[in-house]
Amino acid sequence: MVEMRKRQLNDSSDLFKFFNLARDLMMWMETQMREMMNEDKPRDVSGVELLINNHKSLKAEIDARAENFTICINLGREILTRSHLRQQEVKDKCVQLCLKKDEIDDQWMERWEYLELILEVYQFARDATVAEHYLIAAEPYLLNDDLGETLDQVEQLIKKHETFVKSILAQEDRFNALRKLTKLEEKFLKADRKDAKTRELEKHELNVKRRNRYVQEFRTVEEIEAEKRAKEEVERAERELEEQVKRELEEKERQKEAADVFDAAKAIAQVGATVATTSRSPGSASTLPRQGDESRFEGQLSRKHEWESVNRKASNRSWDKVLCVLSSSNRFEFYKDQKHVKNNKPMDSLSLNGASVEVARDYTKKEHVFRLRLGNGGQYLFRAKDDQEMNTWINRIQSVINSVGTNGSPSDITNKTKSLPPPDKQRGAGIGYSGSLKKDQYKK
């Protein structure tokens, strides 16, 4: 509590010291402004020069008080950082001092410009008066008709005229200075046509800008914290808005992907239905799936035949695009286009018995490539458009291979059945075989 009491007393001491300094500065600035507003009009150049010297002395005194002004303002800032109970009064006083300081500086500058203008005007008036007197004095000489009666008189008149010409040349600089426009005339020619009301409005706007700047400069601790919180709120709102926009974009992207997948599935289903209807017509039952076959899968791939068997490379190892059709009938068929699919005319058909499929990691010339190894040692490379499509094909082919390995392929059973002779021929063959056996036994 002792330290708290000491701190409070120090704050009160600094507060009253600040108010005393501020009061003295305000009174001094008002006095200086009244002196500058003195409307005594000088009568000649010397009077204007006297006013200019007095005005310069005011500027020197203003500069000398700048240190006191800085001390007062710094003390006010320090009190504001302490969150004093009367901090609002301190803030208002600091703003008043700064505005008054700007006002006295502006008034001194305006008065200085005015004194410079009238000094030049009075100098012009003085020089013009001197030039006028000179011309008045020289005019009778030029109007004189005396040209001399003797040679000596003419020579004297010529010498006198040469002297007159030299005096005119000496006055040339003075006349040239009179021909030069004064600052007052230049200011008038610049056509500053703004009326008093407009200038007053501009001055008021300038004061408002200055006040706002000083109010922002002399903020209290509470105002700084409130502004900081408001700024954080704005930043948080901006972040939330950005996150919301990002979520909406992601949701639209997911919806678009889902729509694409749905359209692709719909297209595949339509093709499957078309192929299923054509499967009822005469053709190879091993190449086209039965209606309702859900494992059917087709798509466009690039194919390369690497090996025909284990020890024999393929004769044509170039890449070609084919329409691949995969079904649960243990066949991987290749068509030229959809027309050939409808007509059940495959370019080639591979059996997946004993086959294996994997990513072709050793093939680096192209991307998204997988390898199909057949049971007879043949190998094919297939290239998809991206990794997702490649993985889809690998999974589809592997699922067919797995189903073949566990349940056997219906097409293989059919082929085996077709390879056996008819029952009558089987029985005939059996009879012929038993008859030859009896003949051998008889010979023995």
Side-chain angles (χ1 to χ4, degrees):
M1 294 182 67
V2 174
E3 292 296 330
M4 184 183 298
R5 178 66 176 174
K6 184 178 179 180
R7 186 167 59 253
Q8 291 176 352
L9 290 174
N10 290 333
D11 291 345
S12 299
S13 175
D14 292 340
L15 178 66
F16 289 114
K17 186 185 298 183
F18 169 77
F19 283 143
N20 291 335
L21 286 172
R23 184 181 64 253
D24 294 341
L25 287 172
M26 290 292 291
M27 293 176 62
W28 172 79
M29 285 189 288
E30 290 176 357
T31 303
Q32 298 299 319
M33 291 179 67
R34 283 195 297 270
E35 291 183 5
M36 283 188 289
M37 293 175 63
N38 185 10
E39 296 182 355
D40 292 342
K41 295 183 179 180
R43 297 181 179 180
D44 52 13
V45 176
S46 61
V48 178
E49 291 176 347
L50 180 61
L51 290 177
I52 289 177
N53 292 331
N54 293 335
H55 198 63
K56 288 181 178 179
S57 63
L58 289 177
K59 180 62 175 177
E61 190 173 354
I62 291 173
D63 295 339
R65 292 273 183 164
E67 185 177 359
N68 293 338
F69 182 82
T70 303
I71 292 173
C72 183
I73 292 299
N74 291 337
L75 183 58
R77 285 197 179 98
E78 186 178 355
I79 294 173
L80 290 176
T81 57
R82 300 176 189 174
S83 300
H84 197 275
L85 294 176
R86 300 176 66 180
Q87 60 182 355
Q88 190 61 39
E89 298 180 28
V90 175
K91 175 183 176 181
D92 295 340
K93 188 63 69 174
C94 289
V95 173
Q96 291 177 6
L97 281 172
C98 291
L99 291 175
K100 201 69 174 179
K101 181 68 167 53
D102 292 339
E103 185 178 357
I104 194 174
D105 290 339
D106 293 343
Q107 187 170 346
W108 187 93
M109 184 57 64
E110 291 177 0
R111 180 69 175 176
W112 176 257
E113 292 177 354
Y114 169 74
L115 292 175
E116 284 186 335
L117 285 176
I118 64 172
L119 176 63
E120 193 174 14
V121 170
Y122 276 101
Q123 288 175 346
F124 175 82
R126 181 193 61 188
D127 295 340
T129 302
V130 173
E132 185 179 6
H133 290 324
Y134 173 79
L135 293 175
I136 292 173
E139 186 176 2
Y141 169 76
L142 295 175
L143 298 176
N144 188 8
D145 295 335
D146 185 13
L147 299 178
E149 295 180 356
T150 63
L151 180 60
D152 293 336
Q153 291 179 356
V154 173
E155 290 178 351
Q156 290 178 359
L157 290 174
I158 291 174
K159 291 180 179 180
K160 186 177 181 180
H161 188 75
E162 290 177 351
T163 304
F164 178 75
V165 171
K166 289 181 180 179
S167 65
I168 291 177
L169 293 176
Q171 298 293 327
E172 188 69 23
D173 293 337
R174 186 185 298 273
F175 286 106
N176 290 334
L178 292 175
R179 293 189 186 96
K180 184 180 179 181
L181 295 177
T182 62
K183 291 182 179 179
L184 183 62
E185 292 172 324
E186 291 177 353
K187 184 177 181 181
F188 180 78
L189 291 175
K190 286 181 180 178
D192 188 6
R193 306 300 182 185
K194 296 180 181 178
D195 55 2
K197 186 176 181 180
T198 304
R199 288 193 294 270
E200 190 68 23
L201 182 60
E202 292 178 352
K203 187 176 181 181
H204 176 69
E205 292 178 354
L206 179 60
N207 291 333
V208 170
K209 291 181 180 179
R210 286 174 175 175
R211 177 177 290 275
N212 293 335
R213 185 177 73 248
Y214 292 133
V215 168
Q216 186 70 14
E217 181 180 355
F218 297 102
R219 291 175 298 172
T220 61
V221 177
E222 289 79 4
E223 291 174 346
I224 295 175
E225 293 178 353
E227 183 177 353
K228 185 177 180 181
R229 288 193 298 270
K231 186 177 180 181
E232 291 176 353
E233 288 290 337
V234 172
E235 292 177 354
R236 184 167 64 253
E238 291 178 353
R239 288 195 301 270
E240 291 178 355
L241 180 61
E242 290 178 357
E243 292 176 357
Q244 182 179 358
V245 172
K246 185 177 180 180
R247 287 195 299 270
E248 291 178 356
L249 293 176
E250 291 177 353
E251 182 65 24
K252 289 181 180 179
E253 191 68 23
R254 286 196 297 269
Q255 292 177 359
K256 183 178 179 181
E257 292 178 356
D260 294 341
V261 172
F262 177 77
D263 293 340
K266 186 177 179 181
I268 293 173
Q270 291 177 354
V271 174
T274 304
V275 175
T277 55
T278 57
S279 63
R280 298 176 182 178
S281 61
S284 176
S286 62
T287 58
L288 295 177
R290 296 183 303 273
Q291 187 174 1
D293 191 355
E294 297 180 355
S295 62
R296 176 185 176 85
F297 189 71
E298 68 177 46
Q300 194 83 18
L301 293 175
S302 295
R303 181 187 67 172
K304 179 179 180 181
H305 192 184
E306 280 194 320
W307 295 85
E308 292 184 0
S309 61
V310 177
N311 298 323
R312 182 180 179 184
K313 286 188 176 181
S315 59
N316 183 11
R317 293 192 295 276
S318 61
W319 288 92
D320 57 338
K321 288 187 178 181
V322 292
L323 181 61
C324 303
V325 177
L326 176 69
S327 64
S328 60
S329 60
N330 190 25
R331 308 299 299 180
F332 195 18
E333 299 169 345
F334 308 105
Y335 295 85
K336 185 177 182 180
D337 51 26
Q338 286 289 347
K339 183 178 179 180
H340 288 75
V341 173
K342 293 180 182 180
N343 296 331
N344 192 20
K345 294 181 179 180
M347 298 167 54
D348 196 2
S349 179
L350 303 178
S351 174
L352 296 180
N353 278 334
S356 64
V357 63
E358 62 182 358
V359 179
R361 304 185 186 279
D362 56 341
Y363 189 82
T364 58
K365 295 182 179 180
K366 295 181 180 293
E367 296 180 346
H368 322 304
V369 178
F370 65 93
R371 176 179 281 108
L372 177 64
R373 301 178 188 272
L374 302 178
N376 61 354
Q379 294 186 21
Y380 286 84
L381 293 178
F382 296 92
R383 180 173 179 263
K385 64 180 181 180
D386 52 26
D387 288 342
Q388 182 179 0
E389 186 181 26
M390 179 188 70
N391 293 328
T392 302
W393 274 104
I394 292 175
N395 294 332
R396 290 280 187 165
I397 296 173
Q398 189 63 49
S399 63
V400 172
I401 293 174
N402 294 338
S403 63
V404 170
T406 55
N407 300 326
S409 172
S411 62
D412 294 339
I413 298 174
T414 304
N415 293 333
K416 290 178 181 179
T417 305
K418 290 181 178 181
S419 63
L420 294 176
D424 295 338
K425 293 181 179 181
Q426 291 180 12
R427 285 193 298 269
I431 293 172
Y433 175 78
S434 62
S436 61
L437 182 61
K438 289 180 179 181
K439 290 179 180 181
D440 292 338
Q441 291 177 354
Y442 179 77
K443 288 178 181 180
K444 290 179 180 181

